[in-house]
Amino acid sequence: MTTDVYLNHLGVLCSAGRGHRALREALFAPPSDAARPRLALPDGRDWPSAPFDGPLPPTGHLPLPLRSRNNALLLAALEDIRPQIDEAVARFGANRVGIVLGTSTSGVGESENAFLARRANGTLPADFHPGQQELGSPAMLLREVLGAGGPALVISTACSSSAKALASAARLLKSGQCDAVIAGGADSLCRFTVAGFAALDSVGANGCNPMSRNRDGIHIGEAAALFLMSREPGPIRLAGWGETADAHHISAPDPSGGGALSAMREALERAALAPSDIDYINLHGTATRQNDAMESLAVSQLFGADVPASSTKGLTGHTLGAAGALEAAICWLTLRDNAEGLLPVHQWDGEADPELPPLRLVRPGQSLSRQPRRALSNSFAFGGSNACLILEAAP
């Protein structure tokens, strides 16, 4: 047994598909020009979105506070790795299995629907409970379903939430507090977050177009990604992570990129790697004017234009509290069973912004012509909460 931490098993779903095969195929395909679904707001406006379009497990058997679309997404991701989790609980004991998740919406969508119903007919629906939007609900759900008795917590730091959840899970394993941890995140699409970002003029009229001269903001999606993590050797190791806080502004990033740069350097240092050791970077890449300017500056300062990089948010939407885990999942899939070295395609219109430092953005069909070994995933959130993960394929 080592103190190394491994991402042994993955369950994942998002607007690009459910499961390893569907998501991998979408990542390596050319960007689609198909119209995105649009989410209507009560004020009459509608915005592009990226919902998961597929069946979800029922939640009617759960205690009322745990019934939400957010938790249904989580249960769907859980289904893919439930046998391995049950085996870990049986082998290590329930109290040695922890849960660390990230979210930002939890069950806010259920509250929206309930108050719209009350506006229409004067009463709240019988299937509504305010506990549905409790941020701790995802962890309570998994404890209820799995019987895991170890530490169980939810991190909510906006877009860095589930990246920080993976780092927190690694600390539980390295410290010996747990023998296995179920870690990841889930976020469901709701009007509240779309309206909030629209009020900040941060939602793109036609969707996410990162690093483009034409970029005008994000489009919001939903997803769930769950890893079973342990110290037992597996296909992918969490080699390093870095976490910093800018405290620059409540929503805008530090334009110097200092906090992002420090987080990437910390991840490299923890992994004992140099920038040249990284084969691929999954950018935070939200397509807002300020985030892309900050991130491209920080990445270019550390990596130059040598390392292939892409933002996959044009494909998946920005999944907020689930984004860190989803994009770690994208790196996990890129590092596995990929002898040709295909890389996730950068999702944009191809019109580079001349004001941004140039990056080596992944083109359709681009490959390393070899199995990729290491990937860096960036997550940069409101309030300057930065988290960077380095994943490494087992030799």
Side-chain angles (χ1 to χ4, degrees), residues 69-278:
R69 180 173 177 84
N70 206 61
N71 282 347
L73 290 167
L74 201 61
L75 288 173
L78 175 65
E79 285 180 347
D80 294 343
I81 57 173
R82 179 67 185 268
Q84 293 87 351
I85 292 174
D86 288 343
E87 192 274 335
V89 171
R91 184 152 54 96
F92 296 124
N95 291 339
R96 298 293 298 167
V97 178
I99 299 166
V100 189
L101 303 171
T103 194
S104 66
T105 61
S106 199
V108 169
E110 278 62 39
S111 293
E112 288 177 353
N113 293 334
F115 282 95
L116 287 172
R118 189 178 73 170
R119 177 188 292 177
N121 56 38
T123 60
L124 291 169
D127 62 353
F128 170 69
H129 189 285
Q132 289 165 333
Q133 71 174 46
E134 161 63 46
L135 287 173
S137 177
M140 291 187 282
L141 168 78
L142 292 191
R143 291 197 79 170
E144 172 83 15
V145 170
L146 298 172
L153 62 144
V154 171
I155 295 171
S156 188
T157 53
C159 314
S160 63
S161 301
S162 52
K164 293 175 73 68
L166 297 184
S168 181
R171 287 190 285 269
L172 288 174
L173 291 165
K174 282 181 169 288
S175 67
Q177 295 180 70
C178 294
D179 291 316
V181 180
I182 304 145
D187 243 343
S188 47
L189 191 62
C190 61
R191 304 175 192 88
F192 176 80
T193 47
V194 175
F197 279 98
L200 294 171
D201 293 326
S202 294
V203 181
N206 296 300
C208 187
N209 192 11
M211 305 299 168
S212 169
R213 68 196 307 163
N214 304 312
R215 70 189 187 279
D216 61 352
I218 66 176
H219 71 279
I220 296 178
E222 60 183 5
L226 280 181
F227 292 95
L228 177 60
M229 299 175 60
S230 76
R231 294 184 298 272
E232 297 194 329
I236 306 294
R237 184 169 74 97
L238 182 57
W241 61 90
E243 298 173 89
T244 62
D246 294 346
H248 169 77
H249 185 272
I250 193 170
S251 60
D254 177 357
S256 75
L261 188 60
S262 295
M264 290 187 288
R265 283 176 170 157
E266 182 182 316
L268 287 167
E269 182 179 350
R270 181 170 273 115
L273 297 172
S276 59
D277 293 320
I278 301 300

